[in-house]
Amino acid sequence: MPYEKLEINTPAPVLSWANHALGHEETQMAKNVASLPFVFKHVALMPDVHLGKGALVGSVVATKDAILPAAVGVDIGCGMAAIQTPYHAEQLEGKLKKIRLDIEASIPVGFNENKDVEKSITNWQHWHDFKDLHRGVQDLQGKAMKQMGSLGGGNHFLEVCLDTEDRVWLMLHSGSRNIGNKLAQCHINTAKELAKLAGDRLPDPDLAYFVSGTSEFAAYWRDLQWAQNYARVNRDVMMARFKRVVEKHVAGGKPFKPLLEVNCHHNYAEKEVHFGEDVYVTRKGAVRAQTEDYGIIPGSMGAKSFIVRGKGHAESYCSCSHGAGRLMSRNKAKNVYTLDDLIEQTKGVECRKDTGVLDEIPGAYKPIDEVMNNQSDLVEIIATLKQVVCVKG
């Protein structure tokens, strides 16, 4: 769909692909960001946009000479990974529960971590950079090592999916775990302290920022890149274990070569060139969708997901949505829905069906088909997936 320019009076315009009116709080959050003096050209809102902290989830913000730590968020490098296997649906028959139990045994979820650290993790080339990270995390290297290859909680998940041709895909959603959270909190607090000292009158304290050329900016950028690398490798480690589980049950342990592999961030910042200028692009709940970029747009634990390819739409800063987007808060979902609703909405999916995941019920999310229709100018759909196994964090 074509984007629309929101009718709000801000120094930088706000372009929206959401195809619906923003609520009062959402509109104010968009205004706050678009009023910052270093925002470049305009702010882009994706179809799944909803309330966040400081900046809207589902927003893309390009900045000149400054960066907003809270806009990146606390799960630095959170994103998705997926692989297409050579297997087909009939090869999974009668095996789904065993596959789910083996996934849960192989990959720690929630607050759990690995009991032992495997060699591929200890050999990661960036561990030697740990000593240069923010001093507030210096005692966390051991924990970070044990958490690499773990899922986390909330809306993180691992899924076995089928596409419309009954081909089997493996997909997961996770980020930089506790270490990314701690690094983010350290720098967000520093930015807020600097804003107070400078007497900055920010529209929201969570929009405290760092200016390029300062030591604080350099320290945040270094830690940000480290955490983004950690998040990507964390997904790689989990996917390798996930792949071995499926190989064991489908092919007697014989390894397969993926037909397609995708690993993309959706909470992160990078240096990019847009409209002929060097800028810092922060995607808070958005995926890069440059021409030929592959991305992943998941629905919910009972809905379709999509493998997409970017169209390089300039006005979106070559971006697309990162999912369906929440329709209601976690607390509201728990109050509105029952366990029977969850069982009904996840029919046909091998997954947990208890009150512990009630806040992740499909009804708490926006309809994914509507979200996809609203970004047909941003991406083309390569594969449509539906889960048959779902492991939640």
Side-chain angles (χ1 to χ4, degrees):
M1 88 163 209
Y3 60 84
E4 62 173 340
K5 180 180 174 183
L6 297 189
E7 294 181 5
I8 55 176
N9 186 22
T10 49
V14 178
L15 309 183
S16 175
W17 276 259
N19 197 26
H20 63 78
L22 299 184
H24 173 72
E25 289 180 279
E26 293 170 319
T27 301
Q28 188 59 54
M29 198 166 274
K31 281 183 177 179
N32 291 345
V33 173
S35 298
L36 296 170
F38 46 82
V39 168
F40 174 70
K41 200 164 175 8
H42 61 263
V43 174
L45 304 183
M46 299 296 99
D48 59 339
V49 67
H50 58 281
L51 283 175
K53 194 166 185 181
L56 291 164
V57 178
S59 62
V60 185
V61 185
T63 54
K64 294 283 285 185
D65 303 321
I67 196 162
L68 298 151
V72 177
V74 294
D75 194 358
I76 298 172
C78 184
M80 300 284 303
I83 60 174
Q84 182 186 349
T85 80
Y87 306 141
H88 287 79
E90 63 270 16
Q91 293 171 272
L92 298 177
E93 287 181 12
K95 302 171 183 175
L96 296 184
K97 186 167 186 179
K98 289 180 180 178
I99 288 173
R100 177 170 75 90
L101 293 175
D102 265 6
I103 293 168
E104 291 171 346
S106 302
I107 300 172
V109 303
F111 291 106
N112 295 331
E113 57 189 32
N114 296 289
K115 291 184 175 66
D116 301 305
V117 180
E118 61 192 62
K119 193 171 181 182
S120 65
I121 292 173
T122 56
N123 287 345
W124 185 45
Q125 61 179 330
H126 292 296
W127 287 123
H128 69 274
D129 297 325
F130 206 95
K131 65 183 184 303
D132 299 321
L133 300 181
H134 192 285
R135 65 181 182 276
V137 303
Q138 289 304 307
D139 61 338
L140 294 178
Q141 184 170 353
K143 185 177 184 67
M145 281 186 164
K146 285 192 171 182
Q147 284 198 324
M148 183 175 274
S150 65
L151 188 67
N155 61 356
H156 293 166
F157 63 80
L158 299 113
E159 289 183 343
V160 180
C161 303
L162 301 178
D163 65 17
T164 50
E165 297 177 14
D166 275 348
R167 294 173 299 195
V168 177
W169 292 70
L170 311 184
M171 185 168 71
L172 61 87
H173 173 208
S174 190
S176 53
R177 305 296 285 110
N178 178 259
I179 186 63
N181 184 306
K182 291 295 185 185
L183 284 170
Q185 293 289 1
C186 288
H187 289 288
I188 289 168
N189 291 338
T190 299
K192 287 180 176 179
E193 288 168 10
L194 289 175
K196 280 184 185 176
L197 289 172
D200 279 353
R201 293 187 176 181
L202 295 168
D204 182 335
D206 283 313
L207 294 180
Y209 56 90
F210 294 128
V211 177
S212 62
T214 64
S215 59
E216 292 87 0
F217 182 103
Y220 175 63
W221 192 257
R222 176 199 63 219
D223 290 0
L224 179 74
Q225 299 305 311
W226 187 92
Q228 288 173 183
N229 284 329
Y230 179 98
R232 187 179 296 277
V233 175
N234 182 44
R235 291 192 289 273
D236 284 338
V237 172
M238 282 189 286
M239 185 60 79
R241 294 179 188 168
F242 192 4
K243 180 174 175 285
R244 286 195 293 270
V245 168
V246 176
E247 287 167 346
K248 169 188 165 185
H249 289 279
V250 176
K254 182 181 177 183
F256 68 83
K257 184 177 180 181
L259 304 179
L260 179 67
E261 298 180 77
V262 187
N263 191 335
C264 56
H265 297 319
H266 56 224
N267 282 354
Y268 74 113
E270 286 292 356
K271 295 178 185 175
E272 296 180 5
V273 177
H274 291 276
F275 302 99
E277 296 197 41
D278 294 323
V279 291
Y280 296 99
V281 176
T282 297
R283 294 187 176 91
K284 184 181 180 74
V287 179
R288 196 182 76 176
Q290 294 178 359
T291 306
E292 301 305 312
D293 271 348
Y294 282 98
I296 306 166
I297 303 176
S300 60
M301 63 188 289
K304 291 181 287 189
S305 297
F306 299 87
I307 307 296
V308 299
R309 188 160 51 207
K311 292 185 176 180
H313 195 298
E315 300 295 335
S316 73
Y317 297 111
C318 300
S319 308
C320 67
S321 84
H322 81 313
R326 291 196 75 92
L327 197 58
M328 60 181 70
S329 70
R330 294 185 181 280
N331 284 337
K332 186 174 180 181
K334 289 175 183 176
N335 291 329
V336 168
Y337 291 108
T338 66
L339 182 56
D340 286 341
D341 294 325
L342 177 69
I343 292 168
E344 177 62 28
Q345 292 185 29
T346 57
K347 193 177 289 184
V349 182
E350 173 58 45
C351 64
R352 283 176 58 191
K353 299 180 192 281
D354 58 66
T355 54
V357 293
L358 192 55
D359 54 350
E360 282 294 300
I361 190 170
Y365 286 83
K366 296 176 182 177
I368 188 65
D369 285 325
E370 183 181 315
V371 169
M372 295 307 296
N373 289 338
N374 290 344
Q375 57 188 330
S376 58
D377 56 341
L378 305 183
V379 292
E380 63 173 312
I381 295 170
I382 300 301
T384 301
L385 313 182
K386 179 68 176 68
Q387 69 276 84
V388 290
V389 174
C390 177
V391 173
K392 296 296 294 185

